[in-house]
């Protein structure tokens, strides 16, 4: 099961991960009120759909020159007008397929002063049978492209389930990401926090792209994509509640009512 970025950030925040202040909204009015509750002066209006690549995505209904699905703006009025422009329209990204996804929710977030964008994820590594970290200094872009063109810039680090993330593991990750203080200590704590959240909640994927180092030297989780293992969802009623059926294939929803794991594919 997938959840929205803002929901993933709330889960990570409950474990102590550094995320920005933000509010999920369903209308331009709510977006305006949300912006007023944030410190400013920079705000980010982020479409909430179960697909990545939103920043570089295009709205079907808007012209080719319209901005994408993640917009950095500098006033409450702009938050409102951008929200009005995006809500109800269809965003097409690399991950949505050509049909795109209708935007029903937005996340209004405090803008970050970014110095560096990094890539960090946790996944279940089938090869080693362990949870592994994947990290790279090349954040903010397609990790598939980095893997294809500059694989030496990616570190994959499987974690021993007996010990969890050791200090040595944390140092290796911090060094691979070229973190310096205070980001280094914060990052080392964050790796342990993320591993705990991942294993506690039976996640199957936790992808932070980008993890950023701010201009003041601190780290922040700027994007978050989380998938949960469906077969373990019964253990996590709090997570099951986050399901957004409007993002799922109606055929798969129907099948899941009968405990069937059905995957809808294209074609006949
Ligand atoms: P997606 O991966 O779906 O395109 P992201 O959340 O990664 O969406 O946002 C795309 C880009 O927008 C980021 O790489 C970052 O440069 C910028 N961005 C996102 N959130 C913020 C924020 N709170 N403050 C400043 N810039 C942001
Ligand atoms: Mg991203």
């Amino acid at each position: 099961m997938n959840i929205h970025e803002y929901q993933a950030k709330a889960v990570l925040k409950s474990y102590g991960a550094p995320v920005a202040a933000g509010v999920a909204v369903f209308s331009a009015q709510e977006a305006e009120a949300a912006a007023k509750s944030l410190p400013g002066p920079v705000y980010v209006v982020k479409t909430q759909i179960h697909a990545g690549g939103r920043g570089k995505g295009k709205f079907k209904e808007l012209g080719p020159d319209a901005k994408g699905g993640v917009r950095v703006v500098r006033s409450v009025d702009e938050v409102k007008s951008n929200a009005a422009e995006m809500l109800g329209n269809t965003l097409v990204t690399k991950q949505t397929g050509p049909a795109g996804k209708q935007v029903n929710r937005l996340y209004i977030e405090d803008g970050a002063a970014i110095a560096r964008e990094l890539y960090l994820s946790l996944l279940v590594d089938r090869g080693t049978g362990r949870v592994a970290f994947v990290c790279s200094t090349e954040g903010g872009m397609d990790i598939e492209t980095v893997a294809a063109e500059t694989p030496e810039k990616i570190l994959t680090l499987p974690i021993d389930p007996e010990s969890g993330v050791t200090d040595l593991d944390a140092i290796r990750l911090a060094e691979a990401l070229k973190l310096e203080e205070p980001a280094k200590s914060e990052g080392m704590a964050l790796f342990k926090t993320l591993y705990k959240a991942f294993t506690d909640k039976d996640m199957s994927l936790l992808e932070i792209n980008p993890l950023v180092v701010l201009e003041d030297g601190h780290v922040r989780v700027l994007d978050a994509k989380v998938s949960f293992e469906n077969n373990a969802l019964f253990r996590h009623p709090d997570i099951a509640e986050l399901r957004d059926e409007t993002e799922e294939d109606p055929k798969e929803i129907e099948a899941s009512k009968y405990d069937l794991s059905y995957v809808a594919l294209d074609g006949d």
Side-chain angles (χ1 to χ4, degrees), residues 211-227:
L211 171 71
V212 297
V213 179
L214 301 172
E215 275 171 8
D216 65 11
H218 294 284
V219 297
R220 186 181 280 180
V221 171
L222 215 67
D223 189 9
K225 182 182 176 187
V226 175
S227 306

Side-chain angles (χ1 to χ4, degrees), residues 7-255:
Q7 296 168 323
K9 284 179 171 171
V11 172
L12 298 181
K13 190 177 177 187
S14 74
Y15 281 85
V19 301
V23 186
V25 302
F26 293 84
S27 70
Q29 268 73 29
E30 284 177 13
E32 182 182 24
K36 282 183 180 157
S37 76
L38 294 173
V42 181
Y43 310 88
V44 187
V45 185
K46 309 185 77 174
T47 51
Q48 298 296 293
I49 55 171
H50 285 185
R54 296 163 298 168
K56 295 201 174 88
K58 289 279 171 205
F59 283 96
K60 265 194 172 167
E61 296 84 354
L62 308 178
D65 298 331
K67 287 191 239 149
V70 175
R71 301 181 179 183
V72 180
V73 301
R74 294 180 175 274
S75 70
V76 172
D77 280 348
E78 282 178 278
V79 169
K80 191 180 180 188
S81 59
N82 279 279
E85 186 176 290
M86 292 194 269
L87 281 166
N89 285 332
T90 316
L91 187 66
V92 180
T93 81
K94 261 191 168 174
Q95 293 183 13
T96 60
K101 285 205 175 235
Q102 193 181 50
V103 176
N104 302 316
R105 324 181 180 203
L106 300 171
Y107 190 44
I108 314 300
E109 193 177 56
D110 186 31
I114 303 170
R116 294 171 61 217
E117 298 204 6
L118 313 169
Y119 178 92
L120 181 68
S121 66
L122 281 91
L123 44 78
V124 180
D125 179 5
R126 307 282 164 194
T128 56
R130 292 180 170 189
V131 173
F133 280 86
V134 178
C135 77
S136 172
T137 49
E138 309 305 297
M141 50 194 279
D142 245 7
I143 196 67
E144 289 82 4
T145 309
V146 182
E149 290 170 9
T150 47
E152 71 281 1
K153 289 192 173 158
I154 298 181
L155 170 72
T156 302
L157 185 69
I159 300 302
D160 184 339
E162 195 115 19
S163 58
V165 180
T166 62
D167 286 339
L168 198 62
D169 292 329
I171 287 173
R172 280 192 66 189
L173 291 164
E175 286 181 348
L177 291 173
K178 300 191 167 47
L179 297 180
E180 286 163 21
E181 295 299 347
K184 187 171 181 186
S185 306
E186 291 175 7
M188 285 173 62
L190 177 64
F191 306 141
K192 295 181 184 187
T193 299
L194 296 177
Y195 184 82
K196 177 157 176 47
F198 189 97
T199 49
D200 267 12
K201 297 289 185 191
D202 292 308
M203 294 177 184
S204 53
L205 175 73
L206 164 52
E207 185 179 54
I208 299 174
N209 189 18
L211 171 71
V212 297
V213 179
L214 301 172
E215 275 171 8
D216 65 11
H218 294 284
V219 297
R220 186 181 280 180
V221 171
L222 215 67
D223 189 9
K225 182 182 176 187
V226 175
S227 306
F228 297 90
E229 168 56 52
N230 282 354
N231 292 322
L233 264 185
F234 73 97
R235 297 203 287 216
H236 307 290
D238 56 325
I239 299 295
E241 237 173 51
L242 302 177
R243 186 163 181 185
D244 178 3
E245 292 197 343
T246 65
E247 292 285 330
E248 297 178 19
D249 187 301
K251 295 193 287 296
E252 292 183 11
I253 295 170
E254 186 63 17

